[in-house]
Amino acid sequence: MKLVIVGTGYVGLVSGLCFSELGFETICVDRDAARINELKKGVCPIFEPGVNELLEKHLNNTKLISFTTSIKEAMKNSDIVFITVGTPTRRINNEADLTSIMEVAKEIAENINSYCVVVTKSTVPPGTTNDVKNIIKSKVLSENFDVVSNPEFLKEGSAINDFMQPDRVVIGADSEKPKTIIKNLYKNLNLKENYFFLTTIESSEIIKYASNSFLATKIAFINQVSDLCEKVGANIQDVSRGMGLDKRIGAKFLEAGPGYGGSCFPKDVKAFINSAKKNDVNFSILETVDLSNEIRPKEIVEKIINLQPFDSSSTICLLGLTFKPNTNDIRDSTSIKIAKLLNEKKIKINCYDPAISKSDKLKNNQFNYFESPYEACNNVNAIIVGTEWKEFLSLDFAKIKKSINEPIIFDLRNIYNQIEIEKLGFVYYGIGK
Ligand code: UGA
């Protein structure tokens, strides 16, 4: 069984490496020649725990993974082709931009020689996999291919684990043969039968969008509840825990904070709203979720300024710039949004983040970067925790207290124990408490 993965972003690269780990010969394709050259040398373009080790193992030892820029070359004798190229949102109408998907589908169609299953793994609006099917159908006999939707549910920072130990494997197809072929790919994960969810193509596509949108809704909901907690003297962490004990609700994704970010939730919520609009369906709930998350960084900044009168003479230290810990991804990071809003008010920003890349620092060169959290906190008027990196849990605040101008902390991720921090002489503000 030979697999081809087109697109070496997070989903493509992690899936490719994990399929190699499951014993399959996998060829990853990307039109970005520089990226492919680096991958061929074993240099990984993404920051993701465990990926470097898998790349080293399957590139140099098992030789199960290889890289190329040519779909044609990769598809010689291939059995399954995964489309894992990006689906960014178009700025004008928040629609998912499917240009790359359709271009890839055309190229795949030109290179199918014998029976092949074409799988959409990228997050795509309902109807896309069928559009891919129609493109291929115009060039290839129906008996020579099938299309399948097999969305990926991995999270950045724990992507390999999520692939290897999934909550479910969703497979959408309109006949049994491709369903069985794709299901068999996951055989070596030794999952129980109930981990597989076999359905239609459209339902599978919607499962992915609805899952991300539902999780985003949970976050937006708990964020607004946290605002009420602040007003009435309740504690959002207790409220979340108390709610999460109800098995129907579940404890996960109920952590209040500065809003959801990253390359998936904001984009997928908008694209799902757009799909509903196109089909004349009222998605007012999700529209509100999107809006509430868009304005949240601004609300947080207003709250900070109302609590403490910072001005152009102030410097604030921001700890954590990535959209969440264990990634170097700053796409749609709420930390960066908050830093920019404060900066617009002429407040200077010192930052420390354990993973942000040099190029992202250059792109955001209005902030001062430091190599350690302690240096970043020197002589500042307050600290904001924007991302809950584990190393921030063990910071020596007694040491920081000696070098900080004003001992004030805005803990936007509720990672610290308020009483302990206050005992050290800090003024502490959390979220929703
Ligand atoms: C998300 C989904 O969780 C994955 O299942 C999905 O496969 C992926 O998108 C995707 O579509 O590719 P990811 O974007 O890596 O994964 O990040 P999450 O861990 O879901 O976090 C998203 C945002 O929500 C982060 O900004 C995080 O800080 C925020 N969040 C998360 C909260 O504010 N509160 C929470 O309780 C949980």
Side-chain angles (χ1 to χ4, degrees), residues 49-297:
V51 159
N52 279 324
E53 291 76 4
L54 284 188
L55 181 60
E56 157 78 24
K57 176 175 171 188
H58 295 299
L59 188 67
N60 301 326
N61 301 347
T62 69
K63 304 204 187 311
L64 281 172
I65 201 152
S66 59
F67 299 94
T68 173
T69 52
S70 160
I71 291 184
K72 187 175 178 177
E73 184 190 309
M75 280 194 63
K76 278 180 204 149
N77 311 317
S78 68
D79 304 284
I80 301 171
V81 184
F82 287 91
I83 303 179
T84 58
V85 293
T87 51
T89 13
R90 282 204 176 105
R91 284 276 168 229
I92 320 147
N93 56 359
N94 286 332
E95 192 178 21
D97 185 346
L98 303 174
T99 318
S100 303
I101 299 249
M102 297 311 161
E103 279 172 10
V104 165
K106 277 183 204 150
E107 232 183 307
I108 289 173
E110 280 156 17
N111 291 289
I112 291 181
N113 306 310
S114 54
Y115 180 79
C116 179
V117 183
V118 180
V119 188
T120 50
K121 216 179 215 325
S122 306
T123 304
V124 292
T128 308
T129 308
N130 252 323
D131 291 342
V132 166
K133 180 179 178 174
N134 289 331
I135 288 177
I136 301 176
K137 214 160 100 183
S138 66
K139 293 256 164 75
V140 184
L141 289 175
S142 296
E143 61 262 34
N144 273 349
F145 80 101
D146 274 305
V147 293
V148 167
S149 159
N150 173 220
E152 187 46 63
F153 298 97
L154 56 82
K155 299 183 290 297
E156 289 185 23
S158 58
I160 292 173
N161 203 43
D162 292 339
F163 187 100
M164 293 298 182
Q165 290 168 24
D167 285 350
R168 78 294 210 193
V169 175
V170 175
I171 301 171
D174 45 22
S175 63
E176 284 312 307
K177 183 177 168 185
K179 273 186 193 165
T180 311
I181 291 175
I182 299 305
K183 194 176 162 203
N184 277 337
L185 283 183
Y186 297 94
K187 213 163 87 189
N188 285 345
L189 290 180
N190 295 320
L191 300 172
K192 288 198 182 117
E193 199 51 38
N194 59 354
Y195 276 69
F196 290 96
F197 189 71
L198 308 183
T199 181
T200 63
I201 289 174
E202 291 76 11
S203 299
S204 168
E205 290 172 328
I206 291 201
I207 286 169
K208 171 67 198 222
Y209 264 131
S211 300
N212 273 6
S213 297
F214 187 75
L215 292 171
T217 303
K218 261 186 127 176
I219 299 167
F221 176 82
I222 207 66
N223 283 343
Q224 290 199 336
V225 174
S226 79
D227 292 341
L228 180 62
C229 287
E230 279 174 22
K231 297 276 174 175
V232 302
N235 181 315
I236 192 63
Q237 286 176 297
D238 285 351
V239 172
S240 293
R241 247 175 259 141
M243 283 172 66
L245 289 171
D246 184 328
K247 290 194 182 72
R248 293 169 303 173
I249 298 172
K252 291 182 180 160
F253 282 70
L254 282 181
E255 276 163 41
Y260 59 78
S263 66
C264 301
F265 284 178
K267 159 181 86 74
D268 292 349
V269 165
K270 287 181 202 303
F272 204 27
I273 293 169
N274 189 274
S275 284
K277 220 175 247 162
K278 274 188 170 167
N279 288 286
D280 256 335
V281 171
N282 180 350
F283 256 21
S284 55
I285 293 178
L286 216 49
E287 281 172 12
T288 306
V289 166
D290 181 41
L291 181 68
S292 73
N293 196 65
E294 284 285 329
I295 61 173
R296 187 138 180 99

Side-chain angles (χ1 to χ4, degrees), residues 365-384:
N365 63 5
Q366 67 273 50
F367 312 134
N368 308 313
Y369 294 92
F370 293 84
E371 292 306 312
S372 90
Y374 297 102
E375 284 171 42
C377 290
N378 250 340
N379 297 321
V380 297
N381 303 87
I383 298 169
I384 296 177

Side-chain angles (χ1 to χ4, degrees), residues 7-54:
T8 59
Y10 257 96
V11 173
L13 195 54
V14 171
S15 304
L17 288 166
C18 288
F19 279 129
S20 299
E21 184 72 0
L22 295 182
F24 294 103
E25 184 189 342
T26 308
I27 309 181
C28 294
V29 188
D30 204 297
R31 63 176 173 199
D32 181 342
R35 196 176 180 94
I36 289 296
N37 276 338
E38 293 292 284
L39 280 164
K40 278 180 175 171
K41 286 187 251 163
V43 180
C44 184
I46 60 169
F47 175 102
E48 181 64 39
V51 159
N52 279 324
E53 291 76 4
L54 284 188

Side-chain angles (χ1 to χ4, degrees), residues 408-425:
I408 300 170
I409 294 186
F410 294 93
D411 179 5
L412 304 185
R413 299 288 184 168
N414 285 339
I415 60 173
Y416 297 121
N417 179 316
Q418 178 163 2
I419 297 168
E420 281 173 18
I421 293 279
E422 284 175 345
K423 259 193 215 150
L424 292 169

